[in-house]
Amino acid sequence: MANRSLLSSCCSNLPPLKLPSATTSRLTRSSLFCCSSSKPNNGNNQNPISFTCLHFKPKRKLPMSHHQHSLLASGDHKLRFNVECSAAGEDTDSLVDQATSEESFSWTSVILPFVFPALGGLLFGYDIGATSGATISLQSPELSGTTWFSFSAVQLGLVVSGSLYGALLGSLLVYPTADFLGRRRELIIAAGLYLLGGFITASAPGLGVLLVGRLLYGLGIGMAMHGAPLYIAETCPSQIRGTLISLKELFIVLGILLGYFVGSFQINAVGGWRYMFGLSAPVALLMGIGMWSLPSSPRWLLLRAVQGKAPLQECKEKAILALSKLRGRPLGDKFSEKEIERNLSSLKSSYADEESEGSFLEVFQGSSLKAFIIGGGLVLFQQITGQPSVLYYAGSILQTAGFSAAADATRVSVVIGVFKFLMTSVAVLKVDDLGRRPLLIGGVSGIVVSLLLLSAYYKFLGAFPIVAVAALLLYISFGPISWLMVSEIFPLRTRGKGISLAVLTNFGSNALVTFAFSPLKEFLGAENLFLVFGAIAVVALLFAIFVVPETKGLSLEEIESKILK
């Protein structure tokens, strides 16, 4: 008779099952199965152990080699296979630990820890879309509802770019304080700044107060853009981390679309710009309440302990409770406890090597310099090809491109926002299938054609406003691909500081170009300004073709060893 012991029950979303080298067996990542083992009770550890697995919804045949196996199928789709291992009982425990290294989770438990941080990205995008309509409303003698509607080009640039300068300042402030605050508190503060900035902007009695509100809102952007990806990455199951971080980028584009829509809906209201800016406040309130209801990041709690800034046992207990809550499990369950132990061991190992982390100067040396040229170059070209200006000033551009009625301009903006959202969705969903370079080259090529068409429209195609619409539809951002490349390309030693410099490059160039757009348009004329942007876009296309590598299918270690060396 064989003594059977239950090893594991209902383990979902497991990685390939790693059996001893004598046997080759692999399950699909979407497998759902239970395992048990049996061993003859004769005291001989060299006798084979038999593993029995109940495997539901198999996607492909399970390859076996070197040893006897049987594959029996029954009506309830259970599969059974036996493998022979010259292993003792402790190897069985090791096998189970490997098989359960990726967490089981339910999608319902993942939604709220993703959505509430992602609202920070949505509010960033909303500001872009809402500002497009608000600038039309603010400068209209009939629609502004103010006596200070007549802006100079510089004043208009400050209104539009004010939130971006706030985001740049927020990025600088958050870098030294992020580990002290923690991701959750960082996002709660960001939500408060969004709420305060939106309220002050909407109720501003004059230009000075309006600019203060824009700056405060921008501080929220800087903190949210730092805290949201960290909270999502540190709290979501590892199997879906990449998917959720990419979806966070899609939330930004969704926010742009919502901003265009609200602008279109409120454009004919007197003082409509107040509603456009102010409607961000309820969303910010929802974000703040949502983040307040969520636990702290378990990884951040453990980091505090490893750094010696909080008692280890207390942080472990808090981390276990936080992970249990995030996964929708009973508080303090064994699965969460084991996961926290694994994370703690990993953090201790990483922190032991922290002294060897590269300095800021090392980002500009060797392989790190090559990575910064690629990653920093992508986010820089993303801004200096005029992308922020075209998005922020879409309504105004459309007004000068034949859609003189404010309502018409904002309605076309909504169409452009829908198209941008759909194209960005394709990029996010297909980036691992099609690769980074094809999508990047295609996106930059569209921008080149778009800018040259806009220049041609203002020069000699003014009788055909459809040309301007087609140009704006072709103006598809390559932002999601750029940020994916930034997250992948830096070597481990300088990754944190390299990404920080890329973020500062992004917000700094974004603020500068957005501020300068209106004065430059007045000085050069729209046709020449778009021609300059088009020439820069051609350089960006050559950069994408000859400098940017393909990282599809490569691990971070392979990128460092094969591409950067």
Side-chain angles (χ1 to χ4, degrees):
M1 295 289 295
N3 293 324
R4 292 183 176 272
S5 62
L6 185 63
L7 298 181
S8 175
S9 63
C10 295
C11 308
S12 65
N13 289 287
L14 296 180
L17 187 60
K18 297 179 181 177
L19 296 175
S21 57
T23 303
T24 301
S25 178
R26 190 172 290 271
L27 298 177
T28 64
R29 294 182 67 87
S30 62
S31 298
L32 175 66
F33 61 92
C34 305
C35 300
S36 64
S37 71
S38 63
K39 176 182 175 184
N41 190 16
N42 55 13
N44 185 358
N45 284 338
Q46 299 302 314
N47 285 339
I49 298 173
S50 173
F51 292 88
T52 302
C53 288
L54 307 182
H55 177 208
F56 303 87
K57 296 184 180 178
K59 288 193 173 181
R60 55 189 169 94
K61 188 174 179 180
L62 304 175
M64 306 289 290
S65 62
H66 301 303
H67 292 284
Q68 287 186 331
H69 64 281
S70 61
L71 190 60
L72 303 176
S74 63
D76 59 356
H77 303 291
K78 296 178 182 178
L79 302 177
R80 169 177 176 148
F81 60 92
N82 297 319
V83 295
E84 180 180 322
C85 309
S86 57
E90 57 268 21
D91 290 327
T92 301
D93 296 334
S94 175
L95 177 63
V96 176
D97 286 341
Q98 291 174 352
T100 58
S101 62
E102 290 190 13
E103 301 176 76
S104 61
F105 68 94
S106 67
W107 277 98
T108 54
S109 68
V110 173
I111 292 174
L112 295 183
F114 164 74
V115 168
F116 289 129
L119 287 178
L122 184 140
L123 285 167
F124 175 33
Y126 178 83
D127 181 66
I128 296 173
T131 301
S132 173
T135 53
I136 298 175
S137 177
L138 264 169
Q139 298 179 95
S140 170
E142 299 82 18
L143 299 176
S144 69
T146 71
T147 58
W148 41 277
F149 57 84
S150 182
F151 292 162
S152 68
V154 172
Q155 288 173 329
L156 180 61
L158 286 173
V159 170
V160 175
S161 64
S163 62
L164 294 173
Y165 283 106
L168 178 61
L169 179 60
S171 299
L172 290 170
L173 292 176
V174 80
Y175 182 74
T177 61
D179 282 343
F180 168 74
L181 291 173
R183 302 13 169 165
R184 174 177 172 267
R185 278 187 289 186
E186 187 178 346
L187 288 168
I188 291 173
I189 294 171
L193 289 167
Y194 275 140
L195 179 63
L196 184 61
F199 177 78
I200 291 176
T201 304
S203 58
L207 179 61
V209 177
L210 178 68
L211 293 177
V212 170
R214 299 287 291 149
L215 187 70
L216 288 172
Y217 193 95
L219 286 172
I221 292 174
M223 298 193 76
M225 290 300 95
H226 181 273
L230 283 174
Y231 189 88
I232 293 170
E234 292 179 358
T235 60
C236 72
S238 59
Q239 304 98 301
I240 56 173
R241 182 178 298 131
T243 299
L244 293 185
I245 292 176
S246 296
L247 285 176
K248 191 271 297 179
E249 294 296 320
L250 191 61
F251 262 57
I252 297 176
V253 182
L254 178 60
I256 295 173
L257 174 58
L258 290 176
Y260 285 155
F261 178 79
V262 172
S264 174
F265 187 73
Q266 291 291 334
I267 193 61
N268 287 324
V270 176
W273 60 272
R274 297 186 186 275
Y275 297 101
M276 297 176 203
F277 285 132
L279 282 175
S280 61
V283 182
L285 182 62
L286 176 63
M287 174 186 169
I289 294 173
M291 289 308 307
W292 192 275
S293 69
L294 292 174
S296 297
S297 159
R299 189 175 180 86
W300 174 76
L301 289 167
L302 295 178
L303 180 64
R304 298 286 291 171
V306 170
Q307 291 175 333
K309 297 177 180 178
L312 176 60
Q313 189 59 35
E314 178 184 338
C315 286
K316 276 181 60 178
E317 292 173 358
K318 288 182 178 179
I320 292 169
L321 293 176
L323 186 60
S324 299
K325 185 175 181 180
L326 287 165
R327 297 293 180 269
R329 301 169 182 158
L331 294 181
D333 68 294
K334 295 297 183 182
F335 290 105
S336 298
E337 186 176 342
K338 289 182 179 180
E339 181 66 20
I340 291 302
E341 289 290 348
R342 282 196 292 267
N343 288 341
L344 181 59
S345 298
S346 175
L347 275 174
K348 284 180 177 178
S349 176
S350 299
Y351 191 71
D353 297 331
E354 191 173 274
E355 290 184 357
S356 66
E357 184 181 7
S359 65
F360 271 111
L361 289 179
E362 284 192 53
V363 176
F364 304 101
Q365 299 172 7
S367 59
S368 295
L369 174 60
K370 184 176 181 180
F372 183 68
I373 290 172
I374 296 168
L378 283 174
V379 296
L380 179 64
F381 277 122
Q382 181 183 331
Q383 307 306 327
I384 64 176
T385 51
Q387 180 198 158
S389 305
V390 171
L391 296 174
Y392 276 107
Y393 292 99
S396 300
I397 291 171
L398 288 167
Q399 274 194 310
T400 60
F403 299 90
S404 55
D408 292 340
T410 53
R411 276 195 291 267
V412 176
S413 297
V414 172
V415 174
I416 293 169
V418 170
F419 189 74
K420 180 177 174 63
F421 177 77
L422 293 176
M423 294 304 294
T424 304
S425 300
V426 171
V428 168
L429 295 174
K430 292 297 183 182
V431 66
D432 285 325
D433 295 330
L434 300 177
R436 282 69 163 149
R437 273 173 52 84
L439 289 171
L440 184 63
I441 292 171
V444 180
S445 299
I447 289 176
V448 170
V449 175
S450 170
L451 291 168
L452 295 180
L453 278 177
L454 281 172
S455 178
Y457 172 79
Y458 283 107
K459 274 186 178 294
F460 49 81
L461 295 177
F464 305 98
I466 190 64
V467 173
V469 176
L472 291 175
L473 287 174
L474 284 171
Y475 199 91
I476 304 301
S477 166
F478 53 94
I481 309 301
S482 297
W483 285 111
L484 178 58
M485 293 289 295
V486 166
S487 69
E488 294 176 330
I489 200 67
F490 284 99
L492 177 62
R493 181 176 170 82
T494 56
R495 183 166 297 148
K497 291 179 172 59
I499 292 175
S500 295
L501 284 175
V503 170
L504 292 175
T505 300
N506 174 74
F507 279 125
S509 56
N510 193 338
L512 181 63
V513 172
T514 303
F515 166 74
F517 181 84
S518 186
L520 285 175
K521 184 181 175 186
E522 187 177 271
F523 178 71
L524 297 174
E527 65 277 12
N528 293 321
L529 178 58
F530 285 119
L531 188 61
V532 170
F533 281 145
I536 297 173
V538 170
V539 178
L541 179 59
L542 296 174
F543 178 83
I545 293 173
F546 294 107
V547 178
V548 178
E550 179 58 77
T551 58
K552 171 189 172 183
L554 297 178
S555 68
L556 297 179
E557 292 75 19
E558 288 172 331
I559 292 172
E560 184 172 348
S561 62
K562 295 180 179 180
I563 292 178
L564 299 179
K565 296 299 183 183

